[in-house]
Amino acid sequence: MKNLGILLSGRGSNFVALADSIAAGRIPGARIAIVISNRADAPGIETARQRGLEALVIPSKGKEREVHDREVVAALNHRHVDLVCLAGYMRLLSPWFVRQFPQRILNIHPSLLPAFPGLEAQQQAFAYGVKVSGCTVHFVDEELDHGAIIVQKTVPVLDSDDEHTLADRILEQEHIAYSEAINMVLEGTFEIAGRRLRRTRRL
Ligand code: GAR
């Protein structure tokens, strides 16, 4: 059984989608060992508790990045977390944190990277006028929204869209993409050359 550690800062819909996938048997061999937020007011924390999961708030405010990261990593290690899943975790991880979990930290981002990294990616894409956007699940490295890409899903931008309807349709795809990426990583059915991740056959 592989232990997932979920880090979030807000609503937590990607976390809920993962929890639902696990409950439905769509991510076999995984369980959520802990949900951690850097913000006490993150609705995702309350949802985690309602679902009977262990949920911790480790406030980041006023702390140096690595000091906070050390507290988070200690909590993850204490629960024997195998794979760290950032799900709307609005903090850049320190290089030290990244080194503790080599190729074992995933992030989901609401754009087709490398386009529109950073905050409010859906709004950035809409304002830019792109005709296609989407989402990306990638390994986390030391740069923001940057590591090797695991799964991408495209979403067409419709003439009738505003930035909210576009963000909603991207979110639907995020919820599908994250489970898919986690399954790939847990199954180990891929190889990485440079930045390029290639699926291999199931063992
Ligand atoms: C999601 O759209 C996620 O892709 C994005 O924050 C949202 C969190 O929603 N993450 C980033 O922008 C990371 N750079 P959620 O709390 O409902 O999962």
Side-chain angles (χ1 to χ4, degrees), residues 109-179:
H109 184 75
S111 76
L112 294 175
L113 290 171
F116 312 117
L119 293 176
E120 303 195 334
Q122 310 94 324
Q123 288 85 336
Q124 290 185 54
F126 185 80
Y128 197 90
V130 298
K131 299 298 184 194
V132 180
S133 191
C135 63
T136 305
V137 183
H138 63 93
F139 284 111
V140 170
D141 65 11
E142 295 175 10
E143 289 175 53
L144 179 68
D145 299 329
H146 179 265
I149 292 171
I150 305 165
V151 171
Q152 286 188 311
K153 300 276 181 204
T154 57
V155 174
V157 183
L158 308 176
D159 288 342
S160 55
D161 268 331
D162 59 29
E163 55 189 44
H164 304 291
T165 56
L166 176 61
D168 287 348
R169 289 207 318 291
I170 292 174
L171 193 63
E172 281 174 24
Q173 294 304 310
E174 291 184 44
H175 295 165
I176 298 166
Y178 218 164
S179 295

Side-chain angles (χ1 to χ4, degrees), residues 5 17-18 53 55 58 63 66 72 76 78 82 84 89 106 108-109 111 120 129 131 145 155 174 176 183 195 203:
L18 289 180
L53 295 168
I58 304 180
K63 281 180 200 153
E66 198 177 307
V72 174
L76 294 170
H78 186 64
D82 300 292
V84 181
Y89 188 62
L106 309 188
I108 185 147
H109 184 75
S111 76
E120 303 195 334
K131 299 298 184 194
D145 299 329
V155 174
E174 291 184 44
I176 298 166
N183 267 320
R195 291 192 47 87
L203 298 174

